[in-house]
Amino acid sequence: MINDQAPAAPSVPDDAPPVTGSAVGRFTVGLLLLAFAGVTGLFAPFLVMASDGCSEGDARTICSTGAQQIVGTLPVAAAFVAALLTVVGMGNGGTAGRRSFLVAPCLLVLAWVVSYAIAGT
């Protein structure tokens, strides 16, 4: 006798925790963001040294005092705020945590881009 019905597939239990919302995933992403914030806060202010070659009457943006202040303080402030956002993201698994994890690297990249733009012109 030929069986017209295929045997039923064995059921697979869905007991695995989700990776995206797990505490280990948030902790790992948080550590990476904190490392990026630390590198930004420590090394981006060195872009002020681009003004070493400035002479009197130099028209480059980095040669002005205001631009040097921006290049020196913006990365440190961005790193501090990004670190706070990262800690919020590590502690909260909901939408606020996800948004914090999205905003923190964007803020750090923006600080690098603005600092490089000022130092390079």
Side-chain angles (χ1 to χ4, degrees), residues 18-86:
V19 176
T20 56
S22 70
V24 174
R26 285 194 316 266
F27 183 73
T28 304
V29 171
L31 283 180
L32 290 172
L33 285 174
L34 286 174
F36 186 28
V39 167
T40 300
L42 289 174
F43 295 116
F46 286 132
L47 291 173
V48 173
M49 290 191 295
S51 66
D52 285 348
C54 292
S55 59
E56 190 155 341
D58 201 342
R60 292 184 297 161
T61 306
I62 192 63
C63 294
S64 71
T65 307
Q68 292 173 7
Q69 291 291 331
I70 290 171
V71 170
T73 57
L74 178 67
V76 175
F80 180 74
V81 173
L84 288 177
L85 287 171
T86 300

Side-chain angles (χ1 to χ4, degrees), residues 3 15 24 52 60 78 80 82-83 87 101 103 121:
N3 189 358
D15 296 339
V24 174
D52 285 348
R60 292 184 297 161
F80 180 74
V87 171
F101 278 151
V103 171
T121 57

Side-chain angles (χ1 to χ4, degrees), residues 86-98:
T86 300
V87 171
V88 168
M90 290 172 75
N92 190 352
T95 57
R98 288 188 193 109

